């Protein structure tokens, strides 16, 4: 290792030799950085799961623009708007099609007596173009009253039920005094929003949610003509429709607003964001402690090097070399232990917690930056090395 | 001024400011010849170390002139001082070795300050100097497992390895046994003859006094004898 670093730097790897000379301190420092990495990875993992849960319903829909009520928070947490807006929107240039979307939560009691909630989408089955292609293919089957497509990842649902459904079987269940029959599955990915999802026709939806009326859907989905700017259509709709309690956004705009809302307005998002901050702080403090103690312990040697003619860049080089070594050696175990914990989280909670390359790279760069920052602060102590005190 | 490697003119030095201001050396005028071995003597507190650190660019000159290797030190820029230090070799009273580096690596530090260069050649040079000082079998030892005298010899090797033009030593033989103290001074004398290396050394060792070309005695910051 020492020879390799000598080749790399074109000089003796003083920082490496110095750090590894006191093993105990080196391992403590590496463990500290690894722990900070672990904290950050866990928080980011759960935040990532939160984000993919928020995005999951968007994946089953297929639209360009969405009309929602102003008092709604996210796609699945919103109020109603008058269906009349749909007819008005259809009259606006650039709008080719529109459909109402109903969303509600249905409780469902499993065989073992525990209760799960199913996020239910009611749509016009005659307009398959508003759902993702794999759902659109089985949409015509939903014209039968009281039939649904069930999320294959539904928490607590026996695996046999799902596999039977996937092989063309059926599964009937009671919910709120109604009997529903699942005639197929869809893949929506589990998450924080609900234990599972369901798609059904608007007719079925209105039957199982008797308090809802066909005149007041949650959203109106709009498709625009090819080659027309969605933003231009949004602008035109804003001009044409009555503005009271109406939000007009592109589908992607709505999705990113939902992400911002979940990250900044909901306690979960804030807590996890705070966790990331704490992880970074822990890492900064540990690395600063180690590096500044190390500088203080070697002031005499540094003063000697100064007397020999070494300049400031050499000393900064040593401290940054140490910072980078700590970052790399701490990141590696931190990363692998995080992978293990991610796997554990997935198997215990079913949350979509996954490591992706961009997160790993981001955390690694962040670790390098944090370690370098600590190193930069620690170098202030170098000024105390005075070669005149040596004789 | 002549072209001697070390020249001082009217050199005074003060420590502290205000009421605590105290003069440590007074009106030092010296011209030290190239290749000579000069010994500085004097009682404790007479200013020997102060003079040595001024010549060695380790302390700012505040009054008078010091010319080292043709460069005026009074009001000199830091970069110039750093560059000049690379042409000097220091042997301190304490060995000041880096505990995390082996004997060879410590000696290499004396070479790497001049740039990375050929690593193999640098190692060979470091080994050569260590061998010369009787440390052939201790090349890869960490300072922690060397005796006091061996550590001091490694420190001497570090100072000599880059062929400095001037060597400044402050009681270097205090930590050495008689034998190796003698060897070190002989090497310094030989370097003076062969390469014109100029040595200024603070010592009270009577056996070394005999080998000196010149002996300067300080008392209360003033030169009281120069032979
Ligand atoms: N950093 C300093 N601050 C203030 N006074 C100092 C400092 N260094 C030395 N002095 C004073 O300057 C005078 C000369 O000190 P110096 O160390 O040069 O003496 P010396 O001849 O080397 O003594 P010794 O033989 O004990 O090493 C002394 O009176 C000392 O107290
Ligand atoms: Mg002294």
């Amino acid at each position: 290792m020492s020879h390799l670093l000598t080749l790399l730097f074109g000089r003796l790897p003083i920082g490496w030799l110095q750090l590894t000379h006191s093993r105990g301190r080196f391992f403590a420092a590496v463990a500290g950085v690894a722990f900070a990495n672990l904290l950050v990875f866990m928080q980011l993992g759960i935040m990532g799961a939160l984000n993919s849960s928020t995005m999951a319903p968007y994946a089953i829909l297929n639209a360009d623009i969405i009309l929602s009520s102003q008092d709604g928070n996210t796609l699945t947490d919103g109020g109603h708007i008058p269906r009349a807006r749909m007819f008005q929107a259809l009259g606006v240039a650039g709008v080719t099609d529109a459909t109402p979307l109903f969303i509600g939560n249905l409780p469902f009691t499993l065989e073992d007596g525990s209760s799960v909630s199913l996020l239910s989408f009611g749509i016009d089955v005659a307009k398959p173009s508003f759902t993702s292609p794999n759902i659109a293919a089985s949409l015509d089957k939903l014209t039968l009253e009281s039939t649904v497509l069930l999320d294959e990842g539904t928490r607590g649902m026996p695996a046999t039920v799902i596999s039977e459904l996937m092989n063309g079987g059926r599964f009937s269940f009671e919910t709120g005094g109604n009997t529903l029959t699942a005639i197929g599955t869809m893949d929506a990915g589990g998450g924080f929003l609900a234990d599972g999802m369901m798609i059904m026709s608007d007719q079925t939806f209105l039957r199982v949610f008797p308090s809802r009326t066909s005149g007041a859907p949650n959203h109106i989905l709009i498709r625009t003509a090819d080659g027309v700017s969605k933003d231009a259509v949004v602008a035109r709709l804003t001009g044409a429709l009555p503005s009271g309690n109406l939000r007009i956004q592109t589908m992607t705009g709505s999705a990113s607003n939902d992400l911002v809302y979940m990250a900044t307005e909901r306690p979960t998002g804030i807590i996890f964001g705070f966790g990331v901050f704490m992880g970074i702080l822990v890492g900064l403090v540990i690395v600063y402690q180690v590096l500044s103690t190390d500088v203080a312990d070697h002031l005499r040697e540094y003063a000697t090097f100064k007397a020999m003619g070494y300049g400031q860049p050499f000393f900064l080089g040593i401290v940054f070399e140490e910072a980078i070594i700590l970052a790399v050696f701490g990141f590696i175990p931190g990363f692998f232990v995080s992978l293990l914990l991610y796997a554990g989280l997935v198997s215990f909670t079913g949350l979509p917690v996954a490591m992706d390359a961009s997160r790993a790279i981001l955390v690694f760069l962040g670790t390098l930056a944090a370690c370098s920052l600590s190193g930069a602060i620690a170098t202030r102590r170098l000024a105390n090395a005075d070669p005149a005190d040596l004789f | 001024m002549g072209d001697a490697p070390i020249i001082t003119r009217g050199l005074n030095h003060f420590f502290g400011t205000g009421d605590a201001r105290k003069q440590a050396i007074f009106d030092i005028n010296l011209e030290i010849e190239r290749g000579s071995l000069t010994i500085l003597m004097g009682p404790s507190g007479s200013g020997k170390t102060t003079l040595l650190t001024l010549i060695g660019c380790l302390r700012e000159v505040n009054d008078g002139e010091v010319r080292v290797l043709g460069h005026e030190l009074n009001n000199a820029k830091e970069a110039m001082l750093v560059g000049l230090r690379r042409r000097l070799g220091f042997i301190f009273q304490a060995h000041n070795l880096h505990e995390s580096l082996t004997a060879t690596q410590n000696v290499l530090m004396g070479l790497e300050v001049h740039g990375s260069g050929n690593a193999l050649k640098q190692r060979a040079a470091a080994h050569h100097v260590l061998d010369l000082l009787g440390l052939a079998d201790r090349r890869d030892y960490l300072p922690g497992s060397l005796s006091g005298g061996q550590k001091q010899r490694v420190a001497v090797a570090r100072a000599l390895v880059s062929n400095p033009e001037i060597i400044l030593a402050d009681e270097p033989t205090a930590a050495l046994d008689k034998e190796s103290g003698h060897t070190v001074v002989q090497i310094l004398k030989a370097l003076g003859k062969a390469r014109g290396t100029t040595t200024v050394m603070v010592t009270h060792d009577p056996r070394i006094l005999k080998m000196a070309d010149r002996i300067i005695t300080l008392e209360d910051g003033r030169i009281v004898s120069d032979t």
Side-chain angles (χ1 to χ4, degrees), chain B residues 15-16 22 24 42-51 59 170-171 204:
Chain B
F15 285 110
K22 177 171 171 288
S44 180
S46 57
K48 306 179 296 288
T49 298
T50 307
L51 181 56
R59 210 179 270 295
D170 199 343
E171 304 196 41
H204 297 287

Side-chain angles (χ1 to χ4, degrees), chain A residues 100-265:
Chain A
L101 172 67
F102 297 87
I103 300 178
N105 259 306
L106 274 181
F108 167 59
T109 308
L110 292 166
E111 273 170 30
D112 65 5
S114 63
S115 179
V116 296
S117 78
L118 295 173
L119 186 62
S120 309
F121 295 82
I123 51 166
D124 183 347
V125 290
K127 292 190 170 173
S129 68
F130 282 100
T131 54
S132 67
N134 55 336
I135 292 171
S138 29
L139 217 54
D140 56 336
K141 299 183 211 154
L142 295 181
T143 39
L144 275 172
E145 204 171 288
S146 298
T147 56
V148 301
L149 297 180
L150 187 64
D151 185 355
E152 62 190 49
T154 301
R155 216 168 283 148
M157 194 61 72
T160 50
V161 171
I162 300 296
S163 61
E164 250 175 64
L165 276 177
M166 288 172 107
N167 291 322
R170 293 172 158 248
F171 172 66
S172 295
F173 56 99
E174 287 280 314
T175 171
N178 293 290
T179 302
L180 289 177
T181 304
I183 54 161
T185 63
M186 61 172 192
D187 179 14
F192 284 97
L193 286 178
D195 299 302
M197 295 190 204
M198 252 180 345
I199 274 197
M200 60 193 73
S201 71
D202 42 7
Q203 299 306 317
T204 307
F205 186 94
L206 293 171
R207 228 170 47 75
V208 291
F209 290 95
S211 64
R212 302 292 303 272
T213 65
S214 62
N218 296 84
H219 305 275
I220 288 163
L221 302 178
I222 289 175
R223 295 197 65 95
T224 57
D226 288 341
V228 177
S229 151
K230 292 171 194 174
D231 293 317
V233 180
V234 168
R236 255 177 263 157
L237 284 165
T238 310
L241 301 183
S243 60
N245 197 20
L246 184 68
R247 195 140 75 137
I248 306 170
Q249 308 172 87
T250 60
M251 207 57 175
T252 44
S254 168
S256 51
N257 281 339
D258 284 8
L259 285 182
V260 171
Y261 173 81
M262 294 302 276
T264 60
E265 308 268 330

Side-chain angles (χ1 to χ4, degrees), chain B residues 91 133 153 156 176 180-189:
Chain B
I91 306 171
L133 286 156
R153 278 185 277 155
V156 172
L176 294 174
S180 48
H182 198 251
T183 314
V184 167
V185 180
Q186 262 178 340
I187 292 175
L188 292 176
K189 270 209 76 114

